[in-house]
Amino acid sequence: AQKITQTQPGMFVQEKEAVTLDCTYDTSDQSYGLFWYKQPSSGEMIFLIYQGSYDEQNATEGRYSLNFQKARKSANLVISASQLGDSAMYFCAMREPRVGNNRKLIWGLGTSLAVNP
Amino acid sequence: NAGVTQTPKFRVLKTGQSMTLLCAQDMNHEYMYWYRQDPGMGLRLIHYSVGEGTTAKGEVPDGYNVSRLKKQNFLLGLESAAPSQTSVYFCASSYSRAGFTEAFFGQGTRLTVV
């Protein structure tokens, strides 16, 4: 069964430093997609970055990059030059391959990131 | 462009009461979802819809019903609220195009059942 694991319940980083949030996944399918979302204390879920299983390049979006290691089944989020506003919960999610109308996301339990000034 | 809007944002119910959560999206998305988020449990899918007039069960559908009479609206109903349904509820929507697309989320509804 598909599964997402985020092993770091909480992380601390100094402002302006880089931080890596871990995500490993388990699937037997060849076609899948991986997402990272941010949830600040205000509660909304904000899409950050996406990586497709067939994408050869690691995805990047501004200060966010996804370190995709397919053989190790890991999709770590790297935040460069951390800012105070990056303090939030971060969720890794995987979309199951399309089977009929199946478009569901499988979620990890999240990592709480605190950025220290 | 409002994106995904959920109403209400907060609600307190007594056990046994009923209520409906409304989700509206203005992005013409085919897919819509209802999740609940509980501490230590992550997000769990309650029901989802792949188009107007269709709904399907997710991981935790018991105690909830949904309807998608209009493409832009997805309603989540609690017929007889229970304390176990105390949670934060999120609605999301996404395109159905081939490949993988991100889901856009509403602001959430914090529901307390006493």
Side-chain angles (χ1 to χ4, degrees):
Chain A
Q2 285 89 349
K3 185 179 177 181
I4 292 283
T5 303
Q6 295 179 253
T7 57
Q8 308 153 310
M11 290 280 287
F12 293 91
V13 66
Q14 206 65 29
E15 191 178 10
K16 300 181 183 177
E17 292 184 350
V19 63
T20 297
L21 306 183
D22 294 341
C23 173
T24 58
Y25 60 92
D26 187 15
T27 182
S28 57
D29 296 295
Q30 298 302 309
S31 177
Y32 50 88
L34 295 154
F35 301 79
W36 277 93
Y37 283 83
K38 171 184 178 181
Q39 187 177 37
S41 57
S42 52
E44 71 268 33
M45 295 288 283
I46 303 167
F47 167 74
L48 294 178
I49 197 166
Y50 163 78
Q51 178 84 40
S53 58
Y54 293 118
D55 295 340
E56 295 184 357
Q57 302 279 347
N58 285 345
T60 60
E61 290 286 348
R63 294 186 298 109
Y64 303 108
S65 61
L66 200 152
N67 184 358
F68 182 47
Q69 298 187 42
K70 195 170 182 178
R72 299 178 65 177
K73 293 188 175 179
S74 74
N76 298 339
L77 177 70
V78 180
I79 305 175
S80 62
S82 298
Q83 301 173 355
L84 295 178
D86 294 334
S87 295
M89 282 290 289
Y90 288 81
F91 291 94
C92 179
M94 176 171 65
R95 185 174 307 283
E96 297 175 334
R98 187 170 186 173
V99 176
N101 287 324
N102 177 10
R103 302 295 284 174
K104 293 182 284 185
L105 281 169
I106 302 161
W107 294 82
L109 296 183
T111 295
S112 176
L113 176 66
V115 180
N116 297 323
Chain B
N1 190 340
V4 180
T5 303
Q6 290 181 233
T7 53
K9 290 185 171 48
F10 302 93
R11 185 74 186 267
V12 178
L13 284 180
K14 292 183 179 179
T15 298
Q17 285 185 319
S18 63
M19 78 163 293
T20 300
L21 282 66
L22 172 63
C23 177
Q25 53 96 2
D26 61 2
M27 295 173 282
N28 203 34
H29 287 168
E30 291 87 356
Y31 287 76
M32 296 188 76
Y33 316 81
W34 275 107
Y35 291 93
R36 61 178 288 173
Q37 185 179 30
D38 303 290
M41 303 287 285
L43 275 83
R44 292 183 291 170
L45 183 65
I46 305 170
H47 287 280
Y48 65 105
S49 168
V50 302
E52 182 179 321
T54 69
T55 62
K57 293 180 179 179
E59 302 171 67
V60 288
D62 294 342
Y64 306 95
N65 56 75
V66 289
S67 65
R68 182 101 181 268
L69 299 179
K70 293 183 179 181
K71 186 176 184 179
Q72 64 267 32
N73 295 336
F74 194 28
L75 279 64
L76 177 71
L78 286 72
E79 292 181 347
S80 179
S84 60
Q85 293 178 303
T86 294
S87 186
V88 179
Y89 291 86
F90 284 99
C91 176
S93 69
S94 67
Y95 288 112
S96 69
R97 63 176 185 236
F100 299 95
T101 59
E102 73 273 21
F104 294 82
F105 282 78
Q107 295 281 84
T109 296
R110 186 173 295 277
L111 174 66
T112 302
V113 182
V114 297

